[in-house]
C-alpha cells in the first residue's frame, strides 16, 4: 500500500513562480492553484497511491523560532498574489476529499516526517512530494522523496531513494542533517559553522559520517592524508561547535508531532459535489473536463447570464419563417449561431424586456431555406455572432451575403484579454457567468443533424450558445466602452472580418510545376552535401541524429564541444555557427540543414495544401497574438524565407493568374517612424521628415562622422541599435548581434540615447506608467495587460518591462496595417476594380489585379497605406509589381 503526502506550501510556491500570472474575470489570482492541481493530478496518475494527503505550515511561530530567533528571519514576506490563493487551494483540496494536516507550533516538514514514520510502522510505502531538500533526511527503504521543480509551466520530478541519494551525496540520507549543521542553510537562515562551505562540509561528512564522529576526532583530523580539513578549518570547527549543534537541531525534522493519523485516514475518496462549483468559480474549464466533473447544465441560459423567460422553438412552417423574418429585420439586433454547412441555424431575439426566444431553422424543414439565409445574412438584419470572420468565409463559400454583423463576441473577448489564447464560447460562458455550457463539438459534428440522428443534444447546444452569445454581447459591449477599446473594435477589428474572409476565400495562386522543380533541385543538392559530409566524416551515419552527429564532430573529429545536454552533445544551429571555420564539415552540415528545411517544410508542405483551384487558402488568425498582429496558419505564409538567397526563391512560386499581376506594397520602417512619434523625439522626427535614411542618420550621430562618411558596417550597427534598443536589448545582446565587445556596445547605446534623448525618456516613462496602470496601450487604444510587472519573479518582471517597451510600437504598427487593409479593400470596391487583396505579411500587402489595372492599383495601395493615419512622422509605403511575389518584391 502506498501513501503520497504533499508538502503544500512548497509545491504551491513552486507552482506560483513556475506558471505565468493567471486570474479570473474578477481579478482573483489563480496561477499557483492551477499549477498545484496540475502537478498533483500528474503525480497521482503516475504513482497511483491508495492514500493521499497534504500538509501546510501555519503562520504561528514554531519551536525552532523559539530556539533561535534568527530562524527564517531573512525571508521576504509571501507575495500578496500567493497569499490570496492559499485559502482557495485549501477549499479545493477539501472538496477533492484530500485530508489536510497543519498544526500550530509545528512545520509542515515535521508533519510529513511524522506521517512517514507512522506509515512505515503500519507497513505502508510513502512518497513525499516536495520541492525542498530538507525532506531528504526522511528517505528510507520505504520512504521515497520526489523532488519537484517547476519552471514556466513545465514540471520535472526526481525520485530520491537511498541508492540515488548515496550516489549523489556519498553518505546515507539521515546525515544530510549533519551536512546542514556544518554548511548551514541560507534559505532557512540556519547558521552552520562560520567559514565552512558546502564543498568542505560535504568532504567532512563523507569521511566522518556525522558531526558527533567528527568532533570526537577533532584532535587528529588534520593528520589523516585523505581529510579535507586544514588547520584553519579545524579552528573554525572548534569555534563553531555550539553553532553546529544548534544548526543540527534546527535542521532535524521531528517525527513525533502530536498528530492523530493513520494511513487509512487518508484513503482516496470521491470528490464532493462542491468541487465542480469551486473549479467553475476559478474558471478551470480544462480541469473540470479532466476530472470528469459535471453540474447542472442549462440547455439555454440561467439567471446568471440572462434574465427573463428563455424559450426555444424549432421552425417548421413557411408562415412562421415569414413572421420571424419580419421580427428580425425590425429588431435592433439578433444573435446567430450555426452548424457546419448551415445544416442548422439558431437565431435568438429579445421579445420585450422579460423574454428571449431562440429559433432553430433546418434546411430539410423549410421550402426556401436559402432564401431565408439570404435575408438573415444581409444588411437588413443586424447580427451578433461568435467568430464572425470564419462565419463570413463560410457564407461566401455558399454564395450567400455576409453583411450586417454588428458584434463578434470572440473578437471582443480577444480585445478584453489578448493573452488568454483561447476564446471558445462555452469557456467565455463559464468565466463570465460561472455556469457550464455545452461544447461546440456537440453541433460541429458533421453527423449531428443528419435525418436519422437524434438532433436533441446538438439542438440544445446550438440554442444555448446562441443565447449565450447575446448575453455576452450585452456585457462585452459595455466593457469595451468602459476601457476605451470601442474605437479599435468598431473601427478596425470588426470591419477587418469581411476583408480577411474574402482574402481566405480568394487564396494565392502557386506555380506547382516550378515548386516541384525547385524541390528536385533541393534533392540534388541534399545528396551532394550528404556525400561530402560522409567523405569528411570518414563514414556513413545518420546526419539527422543529434547523438550520431555529436559523436562524429566531437569524439571522432575532435572539435571542441560548445554545449552538452542530458542526452549528449548539442548540435543545434547556435553551436554549429560557433564552430564555423574549424572544419569543412560544419559548412556542409549547415547547408544540408537549410536544404532539408526548405524541402520538407516549404516545398512538400506547400504542395500538400494546394487546392483544386491551384491556390493556397491560408487562414488568417485575428485572435492569437497579444500585440494585435495577424498570424497565418494552414499554411503559414508569413514565414516564407527571405534572408537566404535560396529561400527567397520560394516567393517566385507565388504567381498571378494569366493576364494578371501581383502588386506588392510595404511600409518603410514603420516601427521606427512610430517610435519617433510616440517618443516625441525631435531628432528622430527631423531625420524622417528630411527624407534621410534613418540608419545612416543614426550612424552619423553615434559614430560622430558626417553622413557621407558613414560606412556600410557603421550603418549595419546603427540599424541593429535602432531596432534593438526600443525592445529593451541589453548591451550584452547588442554586442552579440553586431560582433563587438560589451563595452563598445554600451558606448553605442550611450551615444544613441545622448542623440535621441526623447527615446530614453519614452522608455522610462512607458514602463513607469505600465507599472502604475497595469497595462500599456497602442495609439488606437488596444491594451496589453501586464500582471507580470507585479510578479515576485524577477524574470517575469523583466519580461513585463520588455513588453511594456515594445507593445505600444509593435501593437500600433499592427493597428495601422489592419486599418490600411480595410481602406485598400474598400477603395478597390469603390473604384470598381477587379483587383483583390490576397495576402498580408506583417507590414506588407499584396494585391492581385488584371494587367490593365496595375498602375491604378499601385497608386491606390500607396495612397491608402500612407493615408491610414496622420502622425508627426508620415507613414511611407513603396509599391512595385511583377508576375510573381518574388518579382514584385524585386
Amino acid at each position: 500500500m502506498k501513501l503520497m503526502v504533499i508538502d503544500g506550501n512548497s509545491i504551491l510556491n513552486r507552482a506560483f513562480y513556475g506558471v505565468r500570472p493567471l486570474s479570473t474575470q474578477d481579478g482573483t489570482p489563480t496561477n499557483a492553484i492551477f499549477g498545484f492541481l496540475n502537478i498533483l493530478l500528474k503525480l497521482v496518475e503516475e504513482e497511483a497511491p491508495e492514500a493521499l494527503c497534504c500538509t501546510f505550515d501555519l503562520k504561528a511561530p514554531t519551536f525552532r523560532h523559539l530556539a533561535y530567533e534568527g530562524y527564517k528571519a531573512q525571508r521576504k514576506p509571501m507575495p500578496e498574489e500567493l497569499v490570496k490563493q492559499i485559502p482557495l487551494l485549501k477549499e479545493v483540496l477539501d472538496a477533492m476529499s484530500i485530508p489536510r494536516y497543519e498544526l500550530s507550533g509545528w512545520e509542515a516538514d515535521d508533519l510529513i516526517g511524522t506521517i512517514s514514520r507512522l506509515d512505515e510502522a503500519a507497513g505502508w510505502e510513502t512518497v513525499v512530494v516536495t520541492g525542498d531538500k530538507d525532506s531528504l533526511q526522511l528517505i528510507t527503504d520505504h520512504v521515497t522523496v520526489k523532488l519537484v521543480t517547476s519552471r514556466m509551466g513545465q514540471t520535472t520530478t526526481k525520485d530520491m531513494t537511498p541508492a540515488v541519494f548515496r550516489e549523489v551525496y556519498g553518505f546515507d540520507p539521515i546525515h544530510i542533517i549533519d551536512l546542514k549543521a556544518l554548511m548551514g542553510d541560507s534559505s532557512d537562515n540556519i547558521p552552520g559553522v562560520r567559514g565552512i562551505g558546502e564543498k568542505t562540509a560535504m568532504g567532512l561528512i563523507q569521511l566522518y559520517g556525522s558531526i558527533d564522529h567528527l568532533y570526537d576526532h577533532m584532535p587528529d583530523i588534520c593528520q589523516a592524508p585523505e581529510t579535507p580539513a586544514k588547520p584553519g578549518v579545524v579552528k573554525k570547527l572548534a569555534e563553531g561547535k555550539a553553532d553546529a549543534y544548534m544548526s543540527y537541531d534546527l535542521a532535524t525534522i521531528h517525527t513525533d508531532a502530536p498528530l492523530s493519523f493513520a494511513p487509512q485516514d487518508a484513503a482516496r475518496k470521491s470528490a464532493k459535489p462542491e468541487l465542480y462549483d469551486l473549479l467553475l468559480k476559478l474558471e478551470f474549464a480544462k480541469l473540470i473536463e479532466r476530472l470528469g466533473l459535471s453540474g447542472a447544465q442549462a440547455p439555454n441560459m440561467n439567471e446568471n447570464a440572462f434574465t427573463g423567460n428563455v424559450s426555444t422553438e424549432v421552425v417548421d412552417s413557411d408562415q412562421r419563417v415569414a413572421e420571424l423574418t419580419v421580427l428580425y429585420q425590425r429588431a435592433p439586433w439578433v444573435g446567430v449561431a450555426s452548424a457546419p454547412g448551415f445544416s442548422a441555424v439558431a437565431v435568438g431575439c429579445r421579445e420585450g424586456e422579460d423574454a428571449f426566444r431562440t429559433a432553430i431553422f433546418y434546411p430539410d424543414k423549410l421550402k426556401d431555406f436559402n432564401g431565408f439565409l439570404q435575408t438573415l445574412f444581409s444588411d437588413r438584419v443586424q447580427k451578433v455572432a461568435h467568430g464572425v470572420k470564419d462565419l463570413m468565409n463560410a457564407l461566401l463559400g455558399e454564395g450567400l451575403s455576409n453583411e450586417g454583423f454588428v458584434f463578434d463576441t470572440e473578437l471582443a473577448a480577444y480585445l478584453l484579454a489578448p493573452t488568454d489564447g483561447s476564446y471558445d464560447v462555452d469557456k467565455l460562458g463559464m468565466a463570465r457567468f460561472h455556469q457550464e455550457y455545452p461544447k461546440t463539438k456537440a453541433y460541429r459534428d458533421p453527423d449531428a443533424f443528419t435525418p436519422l440522428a437524434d438532433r436533441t443534444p446538438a439542438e440544445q447546444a446550438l440554442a444555448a450558445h446562441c443565447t449565450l452569445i447575446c448575453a455576452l454581447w450585452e456585457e462585452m459591449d459595455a466593457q469595451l466602452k468602459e476601457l476605451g477599446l470601442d474605437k479599435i473594435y468598431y473601427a478596425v477589428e470588426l470591419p477587418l472580418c469581411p476583408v480577411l474572409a474574402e482574402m481566405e476565400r480568394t487564396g494565392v495562386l502557386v506555380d506547382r510545376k516550378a515548386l516541384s522543380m525547385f524541390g528536385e533541385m533541393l534533392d540534388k543538392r541534399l545528396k551532394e552535401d550528404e556525400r561530402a559530409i560522409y567523405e569528411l566524416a570518414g563514414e556513413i551515419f545518420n546526419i539527422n541524429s543529434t547523438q550520431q552527429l555529436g559523436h562524429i564532430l566531437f569524439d571522432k573529429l575532435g572539435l571542441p564541444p560548445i554545449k552538452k545536454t542530458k542526452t549528449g552533445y548539442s548540435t543545434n544551429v547556435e553551436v554549429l555557427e560557433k564552430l564555423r571555420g574549424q572544419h569543412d564539415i560544419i559548412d556542409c552540415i549547415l547547408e544540408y540543414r537549410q536544404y532539408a528545411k526548405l524541402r520538407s517544410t516549404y516545398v512538400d508542405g506547400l504542395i500538400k495544401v494546394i487546392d483544386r483551384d491551384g491556390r493556397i487558402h491560408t487562414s488568417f488568425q485575428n485572435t492569437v497574438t497579444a500585440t494585435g498582429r495577424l498570424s497565418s496558419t494552414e499554411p503559414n505564409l508569413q514565414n516564407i524565407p527571405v534572408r537566404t538567397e535560396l529561400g527567397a526563391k520560394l516567393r517566385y512560386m507565388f504567381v498571378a493568374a494569366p493576364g494578371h499581376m501581383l502588386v506588392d506594397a510595404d511600409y518603410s520602417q514603420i516601427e521606427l517612424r512610430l517610435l519617433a512619434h510616440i517618443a516625441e523625439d525631435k531628432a528622430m522626427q527631423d531625420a524622417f521628415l528630411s527624407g534621410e535614411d534613418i540608419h545612416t542618420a543614426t550612424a552619423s550621430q553615434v559614430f560622430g562622422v558626417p553622413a557621407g562618411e558613414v560606412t556600410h558596417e557603421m550603418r549595419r550597427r546603427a540599424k541593429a541599435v535602432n531596432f534593438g534598443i526600443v525592445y529593451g536589448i541589453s548591451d550584452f545582446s547588442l554586442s552579440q548581434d553586431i560582433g563587438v565587445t560589451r563595452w563598445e556596445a554600451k558606448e553605442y547605446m550611450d551615444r544613441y540615447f545622448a542623440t535621441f534623448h526623447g527615446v530614453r525618456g519614452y522608455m522610462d516613462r512607458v514602463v513607469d506608467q505600465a507599472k502604475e496602470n497595469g497595462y500599456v496601450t497602442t495609439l488606437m487604444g488596444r491594451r496589453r495587460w501586464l500582471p507580470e510587472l507585479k510578479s515576485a519573479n524577477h524574470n517575469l518582471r523583466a519580461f513585463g518591462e520588455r513588453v511594456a517597451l515594445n507593445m505600444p510600437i509593435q501593437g500600433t504598427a499592427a493597428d495601422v496595417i489592419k486599418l490600411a487593409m480595410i481602406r485598400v479593400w474598400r477603395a478597390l470596391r469603390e473604384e470598381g476594380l477587379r483587383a483583390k487583396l490576397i495576402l498580408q505579411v506583417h507590414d506588407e500587402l499584396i494585391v492581385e489585379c488584371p494587367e490593365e489595372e496595375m498602375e491604378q492599383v499601385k497608386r491606390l495601395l500607396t495612397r491608402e497605406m500612407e493615408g491610414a493615419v496622420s502622425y508627426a512622422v508620415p507613414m511611407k509605403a513603396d509599391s512595385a509589381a511583377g508576375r510573381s511575389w518574388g518579382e514584385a518584391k524585386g
Side-chain angles (χ1 to χ4, degrees):
M1 302 288 279
K2 183 194 297 183
L3 177 138
M4 179 182 286
V5 54
I6 312 288
D7 185 345
N9 291 87
S10 172
I11 301 304
L12 188 66
N13 194 62
R14 274 148 186 79
F16 177 73
Y17 288 105
V19 178
R20 69 178 180 86
L22 298 173
S23 63
T24 59
Q25 288 289 323
D26 65 6
T28 302
T30 59
N31 66 321
I33 304 172
F34 182 78
F36 182 100
L37 293 177
N38 275 293
I39 291 170
L40 171 66
L41 294 176
K42 177 176 181 285
L43 295 183
V44 167
E45 288 172 5
E46 291 174 357
E47 293 289 336
E50 284 79 14
L52 178 65
C53 64
C54 194
T55 66
F56 285 94
D57 292 322
L58 292 176
K59 289 188 71 174
T62 68
F63 59 86
R64 293 183 181 85
H65 295 90
L66 299 176
Y68 176 53
E69 64 178 357
Y71 183 65
K72 295 188 178 181
Q74 88 295 353
R75 285 202 178 178
K76 295 180 181 178
M78 188 181 290
E80 187 59 29
E81 299 96 322
L82 179 54
V83 172
K84 291 178 180 177
Q85 298 185 63
I86 293 176
L88 288 172
L89 174 63
K90 291 181 178 180
E91 279 189 65
V92 173
L93 291 173
D94 291 346
M96 293 176 78
S97 298
I98 298 175
R100 292 186 290 110
Y101 295 97
E102 46 200 37
L103 199 58
S104 181
W106 296 78
E107 292 188 44
D109 285 348
D110 300 310
L111 304 186
I112 291 172
T114 302
I115 289 169
S116 299
R117 295 300 173 253
L118 290 171
D119 273 355
E120 201 165 13
W124 283 56
E125 300 291 320
T126 306
V127 176
V128 176
V129 178
T130 182
D132 296 329
K133 294 182 179 179
D134 299 347
S135 294
L136 294 177
Q137 62 188 272
L138 300 174
I139 295 171
T140 68
D141 290 337
H142 300 285
V143 178
T144 299
V145 171
K146 188 179 284 287
L147 281 178
V148 176
T149 57
S150 187
R151 178 174 162 65
M152 300 308 290
Q154 297 298 312
T155 299
T156 58
T157 61
K158 183 174 183 178
D159 286 349
M160 299 295 289
T161 62
V164 173
F165 182 93
R166 279 191 287 268
E167 184 180 342
V168 174
Y169 287 90
F171 48 80
D172 289 337
I174 191 64
H175 294 304
I176 198 164
I177 309 172
D178 299 274
L179 179 67
K180 288 197 172 189
L182 295 181
M183 63 178 278
D185 185 344
S186 59
S187 65
D188 288 339
N189 206 34
I190 295 175
V193 176
R194 184 182 295 274
I196 301 296
E198 181 178 6
K199 184 177 179 182
T200 300
M202 188 82 78
L204 288 168
I205 300 304
Q206 285 171 350
L207 190 61
Y208 290 96
S210 69
I211 61 171
D212 283 340
H213 195 210
L214 173 66
Y215 278 106
D216 285 345
H217 292 78
M218 275 288 286
D220 56 6
I221 64 171
C222 281
Q223 307 307 315
E226 68 275 17
T227 182
K230 304 302 179 191
V233 172
V234 173
K235 182 182 178 184
K236 291 172 184 175
L237 288 170
E239 292 174 349
K241 184 175 181 179
D243 282 343
Y245 277 96
M246 180 187 70
S247 298
Y248 184 92
D249 289 339
L250 292 173
T252 300
I253 291 177
H254 287 228
T255 59
D256 58 351
L259 195 67
S260 176
F261 176 84
Q264 307 89 274
D265 298 342
R268 289 173 63 186
K269 300 172 185 173
S270 300
K272 299 173 184 176
E274 53 262 36
L275 178 62
Y276 173 83
D277 293 324
L278 266 172
L279 296 183
L280 203 59
K281 181 181 176 183
L282 292 168
E283 299 171 16
F284 291 163
K286 289 184 179 178
L287 284 175
I288 288 175
E289 189 172 351
R290 182 175 178 181
L291 291 168
L293 303 175
S294 61
Q297 190 183 89
N300 287 312
M301 191 68 57
N302 73 0
E303 65 277 2
N304 293 338
F306 219 78
T307 58
N309 178 41
V310 177
S311 59
T312 302
E313 67 172 305
V314 174
V315 180
D316 57 5
S317 74
D318 293 329
Q319 181 180 347
R320 184 58 176 152
V321 170
E323 293 170 356
L324 289 172
T325 301
V326 172
L327 175 64
Y328 297 158
Q329 291 181 83
R330 291 176 178 173
W333 55 268
V334 299
V336 178
S338 65
F342 301 98
S343 55
V345 175
V347 183
C349 183
R350 273 199 180 278
E351 294 183 338
E353 288 295 319
D354 300 321
F356 188 90
R357 178 175 293 276
T358 300
I360 307 289
F361 299 85
Y362 290 113
D364 58 0
K365 291 182 178 290
L366 303 173
K367 289 182 180 178
D368 190 12
F369 183 69
N370 275 359
F372 166 70
L373 293 184
Q374 195 68 48
T375 302
L376 177 65
F377 291 111
S378 71
D379 60 4
R380 285 175 283 172
V381 180
Q382 305 297 289
K383 295 168 291 294
V384 176
H386 188 82
V388 165
K389 185 263 294 183
D390 291 337
L391 181 52
M392 286 181 164
N393 188 330
L395 288 165
L396 289 174
E398 298 292 331
L400 295 166
S401 171
N402 65 355
E403 299 174 323
F405 288 94
V406 296
F407 202 83
D408 181 348
T409 49
E410 183 181 37
L411 270 180
Y414 163 66
L415 273 185
L416 291 167
T419 58
D420 277 8
S422 172
Y423 306 95
D424 295 336
V425 67
D426 53 285
K427 180 182 174 184
L428 295 177
M430 176 180 286
R432 289 178 173 270
F433 304 124
H434 295 159
Q435 177 183 330
E436 190 176 10
Y437 291 87
K439 306 297 181 188
T440 53
K441 63 183 179 183
Y443 56 87
R444 288 291 175 190
D445 184 339
D447 298 325
F449 294 105
T450 54
L452 297 179
D454 177 8
R455 297 180 174 183
T456 304
E459 192 175 276
Q460 289 180 340
L462 188 63
H465 284 194
C466 180
T467 318
L468 173 58
I469 286 166
C470 296
L472 289 169
W473 128 252
E474 292 190 338
E475 183 178 275
M476 287 176 162
D477 183 53
Q479 274 191 296
L480 291 172
K481 290 170 182 173
E482 180 186 345
L483 298 175
L485 290 165
D486 50 328
K487 178 184 175 183
I488 188 77
Y489 183 80
Y490 288 108
V492 177
E493 293 294 356
L494 193 61
L496 187 64
C497 289
V499 182
L500 297 176
E502 186 177 289
M503 290 169 67
E504 291 176 350
R505 183 58 54 178
T506 303
V508 187
L509 189 63
V510 177
D511 187 335
R512 183 192 289 267
K513 183 178 180 182
L515 192 58
S516 296
M517 291 175 63
F518 184 66
E520 291 170 6
M521 179 272 293
L522 289 173
D523 285 338
K524 182 179 177 183
R525 292 198 182 183
L526 277 167
K527 288 176 182 176
E528 291 172 356
D529 276 339
E530 191 176 73
R531 285 194 294 269
I533 291 168
Y534 292 156
E535 186 176 337
L536 290 165
E539 63 178 89
I540 294 175
F541 66 100
N542 183 355
I543 301 170
N544 297 313
S545 165
T546 300
Q547 286 79 16
Q548 292 184 38
L549 179 59
H551 168 71
I552 293 293
L553 296 180
F554 307 114
D555 295 331
K556 184 173 182 179
L557 299 180
L559 293 172
I562 305 295
K563 182 181 177 183
K564 290 200 78 173
T565 66
K566 291 180 179 178
T567 55
Y569 299 109
S570 172
T571 59
N572 62 24
V573 174
E574 183 183 354
V575 167
L576 295 180
E577 287 289 350
K578 289 180 179 178
L579 292 172
R580 271 189 188 273
Q582 298 193 40
H583 198 287
D584 291 343
I585 198 172
I586 300 299
D587 285 333
C588 288
I589 293 168
L590 285 168
E591 189 175 78
Y592 176 89
R593 285 188 177 177
Q594 180 195 355
Y595 296 157
K597 174 78 171 176
L598 288 171
R599 184 63 165 113
S600 63
T601 302
Y602 298 105
V603 176
D604 295 343
L606 291 175
I607 286 176
K608 284 179 185 175
V609 293
I610 298 175
D611 213 336
R612 285 177 295 180
D613 59 2
R615 291 176 175 263
I616 286 177
H617 299 269
T618 188
S619 177
F620 291 101
Q621 303 298 321
N622 56 344
T623 61
V624 172
T625 68
T627 60
R629 279 195 169 200
L630 293 173
S631 62
S632 164
T633 60
E634 298 177 352
N636 183 355
L637 295 184
Q638 294 185 331
N639 73 340
I640 301 299
V642 292
R643 294 187 178 181
T644 63
E645 182 180 348
L646 192 60
K649 291 183 181 296
L650 280 167
R651 291 197 171 193
Y652 288 87
M653 315 300 163
F654 295 87
V655 297
H660 287 66
M661 301 288 284
L662 295 183
V663 181
D664 182 294
D666 64 355
Y667 280 116
S668 172
Q669 300 164 340
I670 183 172
E671 291 187 357
L672 289 177
R673 289 171 182 269
L674 291 171
L675 171 61
H677 172 83
I678 293 172
E680 300 179 351
D681 191 293
K682 189 72 166 56
M684 189 175 283
Q685 289 178 3
D686 288 345
F688 278 118
L689 291 169
S690 67
E692 287 183 82
D693 173 72
I694 188 63
H695 303 312
T696 300
T698 301
S700 174
Q701 295 289 342
V702 169
F703 295 104
V705 298
E709 296 179 20
V710 171
T711 65
H712 173 76
E713 182 60 22
M714 287 178 178
R715 185 183 182 278
R716 184 185 75 83
R717 294 181 178 182
K719 184 176 181 180
V721 176
N722 271 330
F723 284 118
I725 210 160
V726 73
Y727 299 120
I729 195 170
S730 65
D731 51 12
F732 174 77
S733 296
L734 181 62
S735 70
Q736 296 289 301
D737 288 349
I738 61 178
V740 299
T741 67
R742 190 168 181 174
W743 181 86
E744 287 176 295
K746 185 178 184 305
E747 189 177 20
Y748 291 161
M749 292 172 69
D750 290 342
R751 288 181 192 168
Y752 180 94
F753 287 129
T755 301
F756 302 118
H757 48 80
V759 174
R760 172 80 274 176
Y762 159 75
M763 293 175 72
D764 294 336
R765 184 173 67 251
V766 73
V767 172
D768 288 343
Q769 289 175 347
K771 288 178 179 176
E772 182 180 347
N773 298 331
Y775 62 87
V776 287
T777 65
T778 66
L779 291 177
M780 294 187 195
R782 184 187 301 276
R783 285 193 184 192
R784 169 75 182 267
W785 305 96
L786 290 171
E788 294 89 351
L789 292 175
K790 293 184 179 179
S791 172
N793 185 311
H794 169 76
N795 291 334
L796 277 177
R797 285 200 310 278
F799 168 76
E801 289 176 4
R802 290 194 298 273
V803 172
L805 288 173
N806 69 49
M807 168 61 190
I809 298 164
Q810 199 175 79
T812 299
D815 295 343
V816 171
I817 192 71
K818 284 180 173 179
L819 194 56
M821 292 172 72
I822 296 166
R823 288 169 58 96
V824 168
W825 183 76
R826 287 174 176 169
L828 291 173
R829 290 183 156 209
E830 289 167 0
E831 296 186 19
L833 298 173
R834 288 184 291 155
K836 287 190 175 182
L837 183 61
I838 60 170
L839 197 57
Q840 184 257 39
V841 181
H842 305 313
D843 306 326
E844 176 184 359
L845 297 182
I846 300 168
V847 172
E848 184 176 19
C849 67
E851 291 179 8
E852 60 271 20
E853 294 180 357
M854 181 185 70
E855 292 301 328
Q856 187 178 353
V857 169
K858 285 172 65 177
R859 291 191 298 271
L860 182 151
L861 264 174
T862 301
R863 181 189 74 227
E864 297 302 327
M865 290 176 71
E866 293 184 347
V869 290
S870 179
Y871 294 143
V873 174
M875 298 297 105
K876 188 174 186 305
D878 302 308
S879 62
R883 298 285 178 186
S884 68
W885 186 7
E887 188 179 320
K889 284 296 290 182

